[in-house]
Amino acid sequence: MENINNNSQIDYKSHYFDWAATSPADEDILKQAVELTLKDWGNPSSTHQVGKNARALLEEARERAAKALGLPAGTVYFTSGGTESDQIPLLAQLAKPAAGTILISSIEHPAVREQALVLKKCGWNIVQLPVDKNGIITPQAVTQALTSDTTLVCIMAVNNETGVIQPIYEIADAITAWSAGKRKPKLHVDCVQAAGKINLNLAYKGIDSAALSSHKICGPRGIGILYMKDPVDVFLRGGGQEKGIRSGTENVLGAVAFSLALERYYNKEKPELQTASAKFVEALSQLKGCTIVPVGRLQNPELFSPYVVQASFDHIPGNVMLRALDSKGFYISTGSACSSKKNKRPVLEAMHITPQISENAVRFSFGPHTSPTGISELLCAVTEVNKQFNK
């Protein structure tokens, strides 16, 4: 049968710099997961031996994932992806007897931001926390917004557009201190862009839940993890799978593959990639007409993930830069893949980035298999395009 994709044999990975959108799957992991689930293919909820075999495989994946994450296995729930893992804690608020206040950062992913707007229509008070010029939510900004009816605080660990790392542990401590002697609001952390990129401690005492996504760290699409320290009364109900937290027949293949990906990639530092990324940022900043977004990254690189870099180029709209690099065989994005068709940049708006810089901003994102050589070649390609417009 003729292959319908004429480009299927081309190796795009060496010049792929859109890891924040998705990662190339680890073929060894997928093959191993497929082999295991072809052998034990039953429904994990079935009580016969075929179902029990599948249940054992699922629970083995849960144990493996929990060990990699440094969490008790009973706190790890498999979901359909990062979006659902973000939304379960939000939607659980609707099961409460009365509406209250939910705090979200003003630079959250649409999975949180858009779902929060739905809760607003249901009577909840949604407060967007301001960020500083680097896109950081300070612990003080959180505690100043807390009220007696605040039930949930949502803060992403690493922003998907700028790479800024939020002080989630300091925020957790601040919420705990503010709550002394009274009910503590839950803290949910979106770790989709952090897992496998920066070291995380999800067992930190003030973090109540966290979202992770498989396809960001070389696993398959359609599988995520929700860490939840304590069970909640969920809004969406069904057959009671995942201890009632996430009903629906379990994706055993996805769970196995995600657990293997976590085992291989979670909290594994790549010093050579970090160095190459830092050199890339510095070199970009020297190009005529280039602005690193935010500019504070140059003075405080430790506040940003080396895996996500955003820059804006005078006289080059982001979509133009994207197409120009695409034609040279380099693949980047203009921001969140989940918002790419909306032509809006709410994250940059929240940071008070000017419209022109926002329109011209592009995102370069890296992953475990990105090579320093590949980043050097990317820099050459960007330099060539920039010279055409900024002579």
Side-chain angles (χ1 to χ4, degrees):
M1 181 177 178
E2 184 180 354
N3 196 316
I4 62 174
N5 184 357
N6 293 328
N7 295 322
S8 62
Q9 301 304 313
I10 298 175
D11 181 13
Y12 293 110
K13 295 179 183 178
S14 63
H15 288 162
Y16 179 73
F17 302 102
D18 197 16
W19 282 72
T22 196
S23 63
D26 186 309
E27 294 181 16
D28 291 339
I29 284 175
L30 290 192
K31 288 176 181 178
Q32 185 176 350
V34 168
E35 182 179 341
L36 289 169
T37 50
L38 282 175
K39 175 178 176 290
D40 294 318
W41 41 263
N43 186 322
S45 296
S46 298
T47 56
H48 46 61
Q49 191 58 50
V50 174
K52 289 178 180 178
N53 291 344
R55 169 59 60 182
L57 190 59
L58 177 66
E59 294 310 318
E60 181 182 340
R62 195 186 314 278
E63 291 282 352
R64 185 186 298 111
K67 182 179 180 180
L69 296 170
L71 299 169
T75 65
V76 172
Y77 303 89
F78 290 111
T79 69
S80 65
T83 292
E84 187 178 31
S85 295
D86 275 331
Q87 292 181 345
I88 288 174
L90 274 163
L91 290 173
Q93 306 309 305
L94 295 176
K96 297 183 181 299
T101 296
I102 297 172
L103 308 184
I104 69 171
S105 81
S106 55
I107 59 170
E108 287 299 303
H109 187 275
V112 170
R113 185 177 65 247
E114 296 299 320
Q115 189 61 64
L117 293 177
V118 175
L119 268 70
K120 185 176 182 179
K121 293 180 180 178
C122 296
W124 283 77
N125 179 33
I126 306 299
V127 176
Q128 291 200 9
L129 300 168
V131 295
D132 67 15
K133 62 183 180 180
N134 287 323
I136 294 176
I137 300 97
T138 65
Q140 293 75 22
V142 176
T143 55
Q144 287 173 6
L146 288 171
T147 56
S148 60
D149 70 341
T150 301
T151 61
L152 181 68
V153 180
C154 298
I155 306 288
M156 68 193 319
V158 172
N159 185 261
N160 54 304
E161 293 193 38
T162 67
V164 67
I165 302 172
Q166 300 299 339
I168 55 174
Y169 309 116
E170 291 83 352
I171 289 172
D173 288 342
I175 294 174
T176 300
W178 180 91
S179 305
K182 49 183 178 288
R183 178 188 54 78
K184 174 187 171 295
K186 300 290 186 181
L187 173 61
H188 174 73
V189 182
D190 179 335
C191 293
V192 168
Q193 294 296 343
K197 310 291 179 62
I198 66 170
N199 286 333
L200 286 170
N201 177 16
L202 298 184
Y204 196 80
K205 60 184 182 297
I207 296 176
D208 298 287
S209 60
L212 301 96
S213 178
S214 167
H215 76 101
K216 306 296 187 181
I217 57 167
C218 302
R221 298 175 179 85
I223 185 74
I225 281 177
L226 170 64
Y227 158 62
M228 190 161 285
K229 183 166 61 176
D230 299 307
V232 297
D233 188 12
V234 297
F235 180 71
L236 297 178
R237 311 294 174 92
Q241 291 89 344
E242 295 298 290
K243 295 190 290 188
I245 295 296
R246 198 275 176 177
S247 292
T249 302
E250 300 93 338
N251 177 359
V252 181
L253 188 154
V256 171
F258 194 5
S259 70
L260 292 170
L262 287 169
E263 190 174 62
R264 181 167 295 182
Y265 296 107
Y266 188 76
N267 280 1
K268 303 290 194 304
E269 292 188 344
K270 301 266 296 183
E272 68 279 7
L273 178 58
Q274 296 172 9
T275 299
S277 175
K279 291 180 178 178
F280 176 70
V281 172
E282 180 61 30
L284 282 183
S285 70
Q286 301 301 315
L287 295 180
K288 183 178 180 180
C290 179
T291 301
I292 302 299
V293 182
V295 294
R297 182 177 192 134
L298 296 170
Q299 289 75 45
N300 300 287
E302 73 282 358
L303 300 179
F304 296 83
S305 165
Y307 291 85
V308 180
V309 176
Q310 186 159 214
S312 181
F313 300 84
D314 288 354
H315 314 303
I316 314 177
N319 285 328
V320 173
M321 175 64 83
L322 186 153
R323 291 195 296 271
L325 290 177
D326 194 1
S327 69
K328 294 177 178 291
F330 295 83
Y331 312 105
I332 66 167
S333 72
T334 55
S336 171
C338 298
S339 301
S340 61
K341 295 180 180 179
K342 298 180 181 179
N343 296 319
K344 293 183 178 180
R345 305 296 297 271
V347 169
L348 301 188
E349 290 177 11
M351 295 169 60
H352 304 292
I353 303 297
T354 65
Q356 181 178 353
I357 290 180
S358 296
E359 181 183 353
N360 294 0
V362 294
R363 179 183 68 185
F364 309 96
S365 53
F366 314 128
H369 300 317
T370 303
S371 70
T373 298
I375 294 178
S376 295
E377 293 169 348
L378 170 65
L379 177 62
C380 291
V382 172
T383 301
E384 289 176 4
V385 175
N386 188 62
K387 283 182 179 178
Q388 297 175 21
F389 293 85
N390 290 290
K391 296 181 179 179

